[in-house]
Amino acid sequence: MVVFHAMSDNQAAPQTDGTAVSRPHTLTVNEIYHSIQGESTWAGRPCVFVRLTFCDLRCNYCDTEYAFYEGQKKTLDQIVTEVATFGCSLIEITGGEPLLQKNVLPLMSMLCDANYTVLLETSGAHDISPVDSRVHRIMDLKTPGSGEVDKNLWSNIDHLTDRDEVKFVMGSREDYDWSRAKIEQFDLTNRCHAVLFSPIFGRIDPRQIVEWILADRLDVRFQLQMHKFIWSPTKRGV
């Protein structure tokens, strides 16, 4: 069993004279690339993605397993400099699970300070309250079909604002009914900017979910993973 902890690489390094020198803050980065935003209310917009390494969940439909362990350390300044080379104002921090590395918090603030629009794609399993209030948080609440429903941190609901979005990824009627119940239980459509319903690619006919939404007159936004229709569903860096 792999145990994950919040990760930091800014411990002070001892000098020969006994004093300590602070190391630059770093993050383990899987990839940084420029593409089209494929999901959320930002879908269709050019976007720079900063994909961080490590994840403590194992959703059975995961399409980024390569980000579980692959990556290299970069300083926050290096990441901001690389992001700037793309000349794009929209940035998404994703993973893996980006909140596993606590230095992601100052990175997001640095990007906001530089006048980028910053999105955070995170599961519902980690505390979103420390995230800079300028960041648009897109929180994925895990449905029963993910195999990780017990990992949801329900206290996150209290921290949602009208800048945030909540996503439900579903592959069955059970997932849909569970998601609908959570929307009602927590009044999600009034707590956040948008509620997103997304089919598990290749597991369920998207039309089924659309028909259920219409029949129930739900105030949600249906979405497809746009990038999987433009490129191969397994292609990296798009």
Side-chain angles (χ1 to χ4, degrees):
M1 177 179 177
V2 178
V3 179
F4 291 85
H5 302 280
M7 300 179 181
S8 174
D9 293 295
N10 58 311
Q11 292 87 354
Q15 297 255 53
T16 55
D17 62 1
T19 61
V21 176
S22 180
R23 296 172 178 167
H25 289 150
T26 65
L27 287 166
T28 304
V29 180
N30 178 267
E31 57 185 346
I32 299 176
Y33 61 95
H34 187 214
S35 187
I36 294 293
Q37 177 60 253
E39 301 183 72
S40 78
T41 63
W42 303 86
R45 290 275 303 277
C47 183
V48 175
F49 293 84
V50 178
R51 185 181 304 283
L52 300 183
T53 306
F54 309 124
C55 188
D56 55 343
L57 301 186
R58 291 296 181 267
C59 301
N60 56 39
Y61 52 75
C62 181
D63 54 6
T64 52
E65 292 181 357
Y66 58 87
F68 287 172
Y69 303 108
E70 297 176 13
Q72 64 181 89
K73 287 184 179 180
K74 297 186 179 185
T75 68
L76 303 193
D77 286 339
Q78 287 174 327
I79 295 170
V80 172
T81 297
E82 187 171 347
V83 164
T85 64
F86 296 104
C88 180
S89 63
L90 183 64
I91 314 297
E92 177 169 293
I93 310 298
T94 186
E97 172 47 63
L99 292 182
L100 279 175
Q101 300 186 62
K102 71 178 184 180
N103 284 336
V104 72
L105 299 174
L107 173 66
M108 290 187 286
S109 293
M110 289 170 65
L111 292 168
C112 290
D113 290 344
N115 294 321
Y116 289 104
T117 299
V118 181
L119 315 179
L120 170 67
E121 179 85 21
T122 182
S123 75
H126 295 276
D127 185 8
I128 64 172
S129 64
V131 175
D132 192 303
S133 62
R134 294 170 292 180
V135 173
H136 300 267
R137 300 170 298 195
I138 303 167
M139 188 176 73
D140 182 358
L141 285 178
K142 299 303 179 182
T143 58
S146 71
E148 295 284 17
V149 67
D150 293 336
K151 303 294 178 58
N152 288 316
L153 182 64
W154 296 108
S155 58
N156 276 331
I157 301 294
D158 294 332
H159 302 298
L160 293 172
T161 74
D162 59 7
R163 300 175 65 84
D164 302 321
E165 304 180 16
V166 175
K167 179 171 69 170
F168 295 91
V169 180
M170 53 193 66
S172 67
R173 179 73 198 206
E174 178 192 11
D175 287 346
Y176 172 85
D177 289 339
W178 182 91
S179 302
R180 182 185 60 188
K182 295 307 176 186
I183 292 171
E184 296 172 356
Q185 178 182 353
F186 295 108
D187 193 24
L188 290 178
T189 54
N190 290 315
R191 282 182 178 266
C192 61
H193 176 63
V195 176
L196 312 168
F197 275 21
S198 184
I200 298 174
F201 190 86
R203 186 179 296 186
I204 187 172
D205 185 342
R207 288 176 295 183
Q208 286 188 303
I209 298 175
V210 171
E211 290 171 358
W212 297 334
I213 291 171
L214 295 176
D216 290 336
R217 293 177 171 82
L218 289 188
D219 184 16
V220 300
R221 179 185 293 255
F222 176 78
Q223 65 172 15
L224 296 171
Q225 293 175 293
M226 186 183 297
H227 49 288
K228 292 187 177 181
F229 294 88
I230 301 172
W231 297 281
S232 165
T234 58
K235 184 174 175 58
R236 297 192 189 188
V238 296

